[in-house]
Structures are given as C-alpha cells and as structure tokens.
Amino acid sequence: YMPMARYWGYQVQNKRGILEYLNIKHYCDYPSFKGHHPDYDKWNPINLHYADTIPHRIDEEAKELFKCFVKECSESGVQLIFVTSPVYYRYVEMSPEWNQYIAWYDSIAKANDIPYLNYMDHPICKDSLSFNAGVHLTPVGTKVWSRILSNDLVNLDIIEK
C-alpha cells in the first residue's frame, strides 16, 4: 500500500483490511493473516490488461501528511524503515506512476536518513509464479519475499535472527 496513491475504487477492501489488521472484525471470505489475503489464483496474463484502468495519482495532501508523520517519528525517536514490496515487472512497465512514487520515497528517505528497501528491481519481480496479478503475491511469492525481507532486516541489524 502506498499512502500517496489513493485507490478511490477500493474503499471496501481498504476498510476491511484495516478492521482485520486491528482485530476489530474478521472477514471469513478466505484465509487471511492480519488483513492480508494471499491470492491463491495462479498467474493470469489477462490481469495486466487492467493495470492502466486503476486510477493512481500522487496526492499532495497525503504527501504532506506523510512528511509530518516522518518528522513526528524522528522527534519521538521512532526508527522508520521504508519498504517497497515486489511488483511484477510488466505491471510497472504499464504504470509509469510507480517510478514517481519510488523517486519520492527515495528522496524522503535520503533527506531523513531512513533505510529504504526497494524490491521493485528484485529478481522475484520477474517470476510470474510469485504473482497472480501485478501487485498481488501468491502464497509462494509471499513465502519467498517474507524470507528475503527478514534476511535484509537482519543484515541491517534492524531485527535479530
């Protein structure tokens, strides 16, 4: 989820994810963990045809709120880590806004000395078995990426092994 990218057509899913994550309400549609519903479908190239139909935009108000959040965390001694999860490479090619998001996060991370783990160019992004759609990992992809992320966090001394 990118805080600056407002997906206006997905309010129900966003609300369900927040309620699930906060353990306020559990939705039993299919197995989930803390609001994450892995996609059990296999890769279907037709999903790429919908990539350019999802309205993305960088929201200036959200950017300012995010900067305030970063400043508040810094002043409170909270260590932040920026992470961009893997996205299937063909989806990125079809949605040029991703490069704007990455550049913006990178500039904020550098300006505030925040570690930024960007997996947009990771080899997993070329593995269609890890995705069922451009940004949705399958259970296989979830396991692989979780291992990669945890190892990187250990290597940065952010978490212990």
Side-chain angles (χ1 to χ4, degrees), residues 27-148:
Y27 294 91
C28 299
D29 301 3
Y30 36 88
S32 69
F33 176 73
K34 294 267 185 194
H36 173 68
H37 300 280
D39 286 311
Y40 290 91
D41 296 330
K42 292 189 185 267
W43 173 251
N44 184 349
I46 195 74
N47 291 329
L48 286 176
H49 294 289
Y50 301 108
D52 59 357
T53 65
I54 299 172
H56 299 88
R57 67 183 172 89
I58 296 179
D59 186 297
E60 294 303 319
E61 180 183 2
K63 286 168 64 173
E64 288 307 312
L65 288 170
F66 191 78
K67 288 178 187 177
C68 289
F69 170 76
V70 168
K71 182 180 177 190
E72 186 176 318
C73 288
S74 176
E75 291 170 352
S76 300
V78 175
Q79 180 185 9
L80 292 176
I81 303 154
F82 290 179
V83 178
T84 300
S85 60
V87 176
Y88 190 60
Y89 79 101
R90 300 242 350 257
Y91 186 80
V92 175
E93 291 172 354
M94 296 177 73
S95 304
E97 298 88 358
W98 282 102
N99 293 326
Q100 294 173 341
Y101 301 146
I102 300 307
W104 190 82
Y105 275 113
D106 189 52
S107 69
I108 297 298
K110 286 179 180 170
N112 294 280
D113 198 29
I114 297 170
Y116 179 30
L117 302 174
N118 178 2
Y119 295 94
M120 295 281 289
D121 293 323
H122 193 278
I124 193 175
C125 296
K126 299 224 180 210
D127 178 14
S128 63
L129 295 176
S130 293
F131 297 88
N132 95 324
V135 296
H136 300 284
L137 291 168
T138 60
V140 169
T142 301
K143 286 179 185 175
V144 170
W145 185 63
S146 294
R147 202 171 314 118
I148 292 165

Side-chain angles (χ1 to χ4, degrees), residues 3-19:
M4 298 161 330
R6 300 226 176 148
Y7 297 96
W8 296 108
Y10 297 97
Q11 290 96 350
V12 171
Q13 290 86 346
N14 290 338
K15 180 181 174 184
R16 282 184 173 191
I18 291 168
L19 292 173

Side-chain angles (χ1 to χ4, degrees), residues 81 83 117 119 122 142-161:
I81 303 154
V83 178
L117 302 174
Y119 295 94
H122 193 278
T142 301
K143 286 179 185 175
V144 170
W145 185 63
S146 294
R147 202 171 314 118
I148 292 165
L149 177 61
S150 62
N151 285 335
D152 287 347
L153 292 173
V154 166
N155 291 336
L156 290 171
D157 290 324
I158 294 170
I159 63 171
E160 294 181 15
K161 193 167 188 176

